[in-house]
Amino acid sequence: RGLAIANGLATGLSEDPYVMVLAAIDECVRNLVCVGADPQRIALLDNFCWPSCNDSRRMGELVRAAEAAYDGALAYRAPFISGKDSLNNQFTAGDGTTIEIPPTLLISGMGVVPDVSRCVTMDAKSAGNHLVIVGKIGSRLDGSHYEMLFGPAEDRQVPVTDLERGPLIARRVHAAIAEDLVASAHDCSDGGLLVAAAEMAMAGGLGLDLETVEPASCFSEEPSRYLLEVAPTKLRSVRAHLDGVPSVVLGSFNDSGRLTIRPPGSEPWTGRTMPTALILTAPGINCDRELGHAFELAGATAEPVHLNQLLREPALIDRFDLIGLPGGFSYGDAVGAGRIAAALIRQRLYPAFVSAIERGVPIIAPCNGFQIAVQVGLLPGPDPGAAWPPSPPRPVVALAPNASARFVDRWCGIEIPPETRCIWTQGIEVDGERAVLPVAHGEGRFLAGADDGLDRLARTGLVAVRYRAGDNPNGSAGDVAGICDASGLVLGLMPHPERFTRWTQHPRWTRLDGSWLSSDPLGLAMFRNAVAHVGEPTGAAPPR
């Protein structure tokens, strides 16, 4: 025998402490049941963290929470055996403003596992097994974080735990697990069905094809729901144990490594090849994965290729539709930022990169990649009509140490010149707090060598990104944050657009006006521009 330990927390529902506490108890019970604990042998603990208990409203909320704990303990037959409280969690600032924590009750639970050698884990085990949801599927964003934060108050559907259905479902799921009918189990809570299903597939290194899911139900956070992996030969027996509670086969696990959603009645995915991005890797480069992820969010696939492999086979570049030169510290920046990587590329790969640009391949080079692209001669680029095969031009711009002589790591305001010819930033309209990108560099001060170099870059539309006036982190001339080549395909910039592809990455995302959700974050918009410019893939993607 063993002891399973879990917890439940639902502070997103704190507008009604009664609903919040029941949801936390239900989540704790589900976590215990999913590993094989007997729901008839569970004990609970409470941890109250509450603000301003001298305030009558806050005290009333605390009473509601205690009533929910009482009702939940009776319904689930799970006694509270201990707990603690931390009350009056608030702070009064010097101006008299009082800052309060949200009313919070953490539920912890312990359950007896009859045989620890038969515990069930949440990682998917085998391709071909079905994914079954037990409990209400939901057809709205019921209880989702989005619904609670941004949905109109009058339309919110707060998920209330059913104190009869919740314990019943827990017992039925436990019975199926106890009979070795379930290969893996996971509670469906924060983020909803799609998050839980993805976690199961990723943990098992498998793909998942969801075939009977309405899009809105992917994010519903209804309580009392479980995801079970069931072998086809055991599905009938599992359904017999689940008699009387809703259950639906959502799809099947596979070996694809991808999660695919096909709403009811849709055509099967045809497997059309997406544009493929080459992500250059080399010793010291450490932003390759996030750069590849940004391409994938924008609708492309990403393939890491080591610089040594490209040096041996320059023709590999011809297979790709997009190229990314990531940030980091290539070769340790041992003799200067980007110099070793740039020297290798100038010597062996420059014609292949120029050929890719002539073929219409967009190239992005953030931070250390920008330093490399400048020293290679890709930016501002060769003179139009240069002889073929081309020779790397002499660099006419540079990225010098920051004027502060310090490494800078922060978010900066960004402006996009309307006259730019850069396909990555063209047409993007952002302003205010949304027009920001993170920077992290020690050598990012942009300098143009010739007397009129900076004016010429601006006049010909080669300035792609500027720092907002007064927010220049490194002393760059003309507030230049990034430039493009004459084709508009090659973008080099010191900020990291690949680090702003989700609104939750914004440093103040919880305080932005909800209208920002209708547009893409600035970084993702850049990658979408490039993928849209490519359209149908032009190269033959290398095998994954």
Side-chain angles (χ1 to χ4, degrees):
R1 291 198 304 169
L3 191 67
I5 302 174
N7 57 51
L9 189 66
T11 49
L13 303 175
S14 61
E15 286 188 7
D16 187 338
Y18 188 87
V19 173
M20 175 188 75
V21 173
L22 290 184
I25 292 174
D26 183 74
E27 181 184 10
C28 180
V29 169
R30 279 181 284 143
N31 277 303
L32 293 169
V33 169
C34 280
V35 299
D38 184 348
Q40 305 281 359
R41 303 196 66 184
I42 288 176
L44 301 176
L45 301 90
D46 57 67
N47 186 347
F48 286 89
C49 292
W50 225 261
S52 306
C53 291
N54 291 329
D55 179 86
S56 59
R57 181 172 181 271
R58 291 302 190 195
M59 192 62 190
E61 292 173 337
L62 182 60
V63 171
R64 285 279 289 165
E67 290 174 343
Y70 174 85
D71 291 345
L74 287 180
Y76 285 90
R77 300 184 62 81
F80 280 90
I81 60 171
S82 187
K84 69 177 292 294
D85 58 75
S86 180
L87 306 181
N88 293 305
N89 281 254
Q90 71 276 345
F91 172 77
T92 302
D95 62 358
T97 303
T98 299
I99 302 170
E100 298 179 335
I101 68 163
T104 304
L105 177 54
L106 171 69
I107 298 293
S108 300
M110 300 178 292
V112 175
V113 178
D115 184 351
V116 294
S117 68
R118 296 169 63 187
C119 279
V120 176
T121 55
M122 54 81 70
D123 50 305
K125 303 301 188 299
S126 180
N129 283 352
H130 296 307
L131 180 67
V132 178
I133 184 169
V134 183
K136 181 181 176 183
I137 291 185
S139 58
R140 297 169 45 98
L141 298 175
D142 300 335
S144 69
H145 284 57
Y146 177 89
E147 176 85 0
M148 292 298 102
L149 286 173
F150 307 112
E154 63 275 12
D155 294 336
R156 289 178 189 167
Q157 299 291 319
V158 179
V160 180
T161 303
D162 188 322
L163 294 182
E164 292 185 5
R165 183 61 60 87
L168 173 64
I169 294 175
R171 293 194 297 270
R172 296 292 171 83
V173 170
H174 170 69
I177 291 175
E179 293 293 329
D180 289 328
L181 299 175
V182 176
S184 64
H186 194 12
D187 77 304
C188 188
S189 54
D190 284 4
L193 183 159
L194 191 57
V195 169
E199 288 173 345
M200 294 177 73
M202 292 169 66
L206 295 174
L208 177 59
D209 192 5
L210 297 176
E211 302 170 348
T212 57
V213 181
E214 294 287 353
S217 68
C218 289
F219 307 100
S220 170
E221 297 184 19
E222 280 281 337
S224 306
R225 297 191 303 164
Y226 300 76
L227 290 182
L228 308 180
E229 178 193 0
V230 181
T233 56
K234 298 182 178 181
L235 185 59
R236 184 185 296 272
S237 298
V238 167
R239 281 181 161 160
H241 279 288
L242 297 177
D243 183 42
V245 300
S247 64
V248 176
V249 176
L250 298 176
S252 301
F253 294 97
N254 55 55
D255 292 321
S256 70
R258 295 181 176 277
L259 191 153
T260 306
I261 304 173
R262 291 194 282 112
S266 64
E267 292 296 322
W269 181 59
T270 61
R272 183 184 69 83
T273 304
M274 293 185 290
T276 307
L278 182 158
I279 308 299
L280 185 74
T281 64
I285 283 178
N286 56 19
C287 300
D288 48 321
R289 292 197 176 190
E290 55 192 343
L291 184 60
H293 185 59
F295 275 113
E296 291 176 342
L297 288 176
T301 59
E303 301 287 347
V305 181
H306 198 282
L307 178 56
N308 289 347
Q309 186 177 359
L310 287 182
L311 294 173
R312 291 191 299 268
E313 303 176 73
L316 280 176
I317 292 177
D318 296 337
R319 299 182 180 181
F320 291 88
D321 309 290
L322 304 122
I323 296 175
L325 305 180
F329 301 89
S330 57
Y331 294 91
D333 286 345
V335 296
R339 288 190 181 180
I340 296 177
L344 292 170
I345 294 173
R346 275 180 75 94
Q347 182 181 12
R348 303 277 294 280
L349 296 174
Y350 182 77
F353 274 95
V354 173
S355 178
I357 296 168
E358 292 182 340
R359 185 162 53 88
V361 174
I363 300 174
I364 190 168
C367 202
N368 198 218
F370 189 14
Q371 296 160 345
I372 293 170
V374 162
Q375 295 172 53
V376 167
L378 295 175
L379 289 169
D383 295 329
W388 187 267
S391 299
R394 180 178 62 86
V396 296
V397 299
L399 293 161
N402 297 342
S404 64
R406 295 180 178 178
F407 186 89
V408 177
D409 181 3
R410 65 181 179 87
W411 287 70
C412 297
I414 295 296
E415 295 177 350
I416 297 175
E419 66 277 5
T420 184
R421 64 176 65 189
C422 178
I423 64 103
W424 294 81
T425 60
Q426 211 163 46
I428 297 177
E429 297 182 4
V430 288
D431 56 16
E433 282 195 278
R434 294 178 293 176
V436 293
L437 287 174
V439 300
H441 58 256
E443 296 182 39
R445 181 162 54 104
F446 181 84
L447 301 174
D451 292 340
D452 65 340
L454 192 60
D455 291 337
R456 187 167 64 251
L457 290 173
R459 192 169 56 252
T460 55
L462 301 191
V463 176
V465 185
R466 293 186 188 273
Y467 299 112
R468 191 181 301 150
D471 206 6
N472 187 329
N474 48 41
S476 288
D479 293 328
V480 172
I483 62 172
C484 66
D485 70 337
S487 72
L489 292 168
V490 185
L491 169 63
L493 70 170
M494 289 312 299
H496 286 269
E498 74 277 16
R499 296 180 183 175
F500 189 23
T501 55
R502 291 183 172 88
W503 282 112
T504 49
Q505 292 170 317
H506 190 288
R508 289 174 51 81
W509 74 273
T510 59
R511 294 173 176 82
L512 292 177
D513 184 275
S515 62
W516 49 263
L517 284 172
S518 62
S519 61
D520 287 329
L522 177 55
L524 181 57
M526 292 184 182
F527 286 92
R528 286 201 195 279
N529 268 358
V531 173
H533 180 84
V534 171
E536 291 293 327
T538 59
R544 293 184 66 83

